[in-house]
Amino acid sequence: MTNLRESLTQVRERIERACRAAGRPSGSVGLLAVSKTVGVDRVRAAADLGQRAFGENYLQEGLAKQDGLADLGLEWHFIGPVQSNKTRDLALHFDWVHGVDRLRIAQRLSEARNPARDPLQVCVQVNISGETRKSGCAPDDAPALCEAIAALPGLRLRGLMAIPAPAGCADDARAPYRRLRELFDRIRAAGTPLDTISAGMTDDLEAAIAEGSTLVRVGTALFGKRNST
Ligand SMILES: *Cc1c(COP(=O)(O)O)cnc(C)c1O
């Protein structure tokens, strides 16, 4: 088991160093703590150390943790693939959904969102490495999808999310994130407001920050290695 206080400090330092190296302001990159497979007690410990935003990949696991930590008022992000039969629970119980990759899913999320709450914040997932069996929309389809989602009343479109294919070396690691940011810039230039690039994980957060990520999703470096499932 890792020492959470130490690992959280180290990850925050990595983010700050990467910002400095990229000439970006301190604090311009948020940290989403990926808590899949991590027990309620350790999430609570991370919250006690000041971490507010947590990412979950599996609906039932996420809901159980939200129940156990309801007193803390944490911010919950769903970062797994979105199946249409899960949209209702996601819209009702999460603050963000990162894996929106087609309009039908976005419409279902919008319809299910409780109108008394703030709109559900979403990112459009882009298959930036063009992998055949990966979720995410094709980059060329992202501008029109973003424009359509921005018009849905129950959603607030925040930006783009991607999980690139593993890279061979540090230079390669930056290439997909550069393409993601160029796409982000292109969509904004066309008039659809976006403010979030959800990109970078334990192994490549420096590359993602160098290319403009505003939110890194980190699990292993915070909570230790997961048992493979
Ligand atoms: C598991 C996961 C992460 C965290 O990955 P680490 O390598 O453990 O930091 C980030 N994003 C998504 C979508 C994930 O599924």
Side-chain angles (χ1 to χ4, degrees):
M1 214 197 251
T2 55
N3 178 326
L4 198 52
R5 181 185 299 272
E6 223 165 79
S7 54
L8 189 57
T9 301
Q10 278 168 8
V11 169
R12 286 174 179 154
E13 282 172 1
R14 276 179 71 186
I15 292 170
E16 283 307 302
R17 261 199 310 277
C19 283
R20 270 200 303 280
R24 299 180 54 190
S26 167
S28 58
V29 177
L31 171 60
L32 179 61
V34 175
S35 48
K36 63 184 174 209
T37 78
V38 176
V40 171
D41 291 349
R42 302 205 78 213
V43 176
R44 184 177 287 278
D48 287 344
L49 294 166
Q51 179 63 33
R52 305 305 303 166
F54 292 88
E56 290 285 334
N57 291 59
Y58 308 101
L59 176 63
Q60 294 311 327
E61 183 189 342
L63 294 182
K65 260 172 247 185
Q66 290 176 10
D67 260 1
L69 299 164
D71 54 312
L72 296 179
L74 300 174
E75 180 179 289
W76 291 98
H77 295 233
F78 189 80
I79 60 173
V82 183
Q83 295 161 297
S84 49
N85 63 343
K86 305 281 166 61
T87 47
R88 191 183 147 72
D89 277 327
L90 292 177
L92 290 178
H93 298 289
F94 282 80
D95 300 295
W96 287 63
V97 174
H98 289 232
V100 177
D101 61 0
R102 50 195 193 276
L103 186 57
R104 190 66 201 120
I105 291 283
Q107 287 166 334
R108 291 178 63 105
L109 288 169
S110 177
E111 284 157 15
R113 184 69 169 182
N114 176 352
R117 290 184 63 186
D118 289 339
L120 178 67
Q121 302 174 83
V122 300
C123 289
V124 164
Q125 186 175 353
V126 181
N127 184 357
I128 203 70
S129 304
E131 295 163 279
T132 41
R133 293 190 303 133
K134 260 278 180 62
S135 29
C137 71
D140 285 347
D141 296 338
L145 181 57
C146 284
E147 196 183 337
I149 289 175
L152 295 175
L155 304 186
R156 176 169 169 219
L157 178 65
R158 296 297 301 265
L160 303 180
M161 179 271 212
I163 313 169
C169 65
D171 270 351
D172 284 342
R174 287 180 56 161
Y177 292 124
R178 185 173 317 133
R179 292 197 299 277
L180 185 68
R181 196 232 322 147
E182 286 165 357
L183 186 60
F184 175 87
D185 290 341
R186 187 147 65 84
I187 293 168
R188 290 216 306 185
T192 303
L194 305 176
D195 64 11
T196 300
I197 299 179
S198 164
M201 317 197 292
T202 290
D203 285 341
D204 65 357
L205 68 89
E206 284 83 3
I209 290 172
E211 295 295 347
S213 168
T214 67
L215 183 61
V216 293
R217 309 178 308 266
V218 178
T220 307
L222 290 175
F223 297 111
K225 252 188 146 41
R226 294 176 292 272
N227 295 325
S228 55
T229 43

